[in-house]
Amino acid sequence: MRTIIGVDIGGSHISAAQINWNSGSIQLSNFYEADVDTSGSVDEIIDAWSEVIKKVANGKQAIQLGIAMPGPFDYEQGISLIQEQGKLKSLYGLSVKDLLAQSISIDSEFILFMNDAEAFLRGESMVGAGKKYNNLMGLTLGTGLGSAIQVEEVVKDAKLWTAPFRDGIAEDYLGTAWFIGEAKKQYGLEIEGVRDLLAPEVDSEISRSIFQKFG
């Protein structure tokens, strides 16, 4: 029997754990996470992801991966279509499934992908806060905007990141890029991500103002 490993990949991180399903509940073990510079090369990104997954596997060879991945992405084939979201550009058009399979030394048939927001909502509907409800909406805020909806038994990506909003689309304002642009435009502050706003050397009034505007 293969060990199931759940993986969450974002624009700046990876989290993974062994998944144990038992009578309607889930237990996690061997949890690991790491920051990842997704502006790096193909090898740098794949190596960083593989390192965390191997730690979670803890020497086990018979593993199966379920990976929550941001879009746009060909989830069935495992090919990245992310091009203009400020992350993972080097993987555009490549088979992430094959690259990971080779790096981890498993067959690609044991790697499955799902939209990250859809995976999040499926988890909440099965064992989380949405367990008692038939109709749900899930939103994830991170490097970008993730969204999913559930109607009865059907869960799917809502793709709200492309929704027209103000002078562009929703993700222009509801993601890391907005924080970087706002800090530069309003305060001349150079940051690489939201976490930088919490650094001791950043004026707390500036941070508070930016977060209030975002909210």
Side-chain angles (χ1 to χ4, degrees):
M1 185 174 180
R2 289 188 170 269
T3 297
I4 298 174
I5 295 177
V7 182
D8 175 49
I9 287 176
S12 59
H13 80 282
I14 178 173
S15 302
Q18 289 188 23
I19 308 295
N20 303 295
W21 174 265
N22 182 23
S23 301
S25 64
I26 287 179
Q27 291 81 41
L28 305 181
S29 60
N30 280 36
F31 175 82
Y32 286 92
E33 61 181 344
D35 293 332
V36 179
D37 180 6
T38 55
S39 65
S41 68
V42 172
D43 288 343
E44 288 171 337
I45 295 172
I46 296 297
D47 287 349
W49 290 345
S50 298
E51 182 180 353
V52 170
I53 293 170
K54 288 176 181 177
K55 286 181 179 179
V56 174
N58 195 28
K60 295 180 179 179
Q61 299 299 315
I63 62 173
Q64 180 167 334
L65 305 181
I67 301 178
M69 174 75 73
F73 196 89
D74 183 334
Y75 294 99
E76 184 173 346
Q77 300 299 322
I79 297 173
S80 177
L81 303 176
I82 299 171
Q83 191 174 20
E84 299 297 338
Q85 279 77 45
K87 57 191 176 186
L88 303 170
K89 290 182 179 180
S90 62
L91 295 177
Y92 177 74
L94 301 180
S95 174
V96 177
K97 177 184 284 191
D98 289 344
L99 289 168
L100 272 176
Q102 182 178 5
S103 180
I104 301 169
S105 299
I106 64 172
D107 195 296
S108 62
E109 70 174 295
F110 297 117
I111 301 178
L112 302 175
F113 291 91
M114 180 181 290
N115 175 266
D116 54 352
E118 183 181 343
F120 153 71
L121 191 60
R122 282 184 182 273
E124 289 295 335
S125 68
M126 292 172 65
V127 296
K131 191 173 183 179
K132 298 179 180 179
Y133 301 91
N134 294 325
N135 303 312
L136 300 166
M137 169 175 274
L139 298 174
T140 60
L141 297 175
T143 305
L145 169 66
S147 59
I149 56 173
Q150 174 178 328
V151 179
E152 298 298 335
E153 300 299 321
V154 178
V155 181
K156 63 180 182 179
D157 180 8
K159 300 181 180 178
L160 292 180
W161 70 276
T162 62
F165 186 69
R166 296 193 176 181
D167 296 326
I169 61 175
E171 189 159 284
D172 293 338
Y173 298 86
L174 299 176
T176 299
W178 180 86
F179 282 93
I180 294 173
E182 185 71 10
K184 175 68 174 178
K185 181 174 65 175
Q186 298 297 334
Y187 303 100
L189 184 63
E190 298 277 358
I191 62 172
E192 295 182 358
V194 179
R195 185 179 300 177
D196 292 350
L197 291 174
L198 304 178
E201 60 268 22
V202 175
D203 188 330
S204 61
E205 289 301 319
I206 291 178
S207 300
R208 185 177 296 108
S209 175
I210 293 175
F211 280 113
Q212 285 178 340
K213 186 171 183 178
F214 178 78

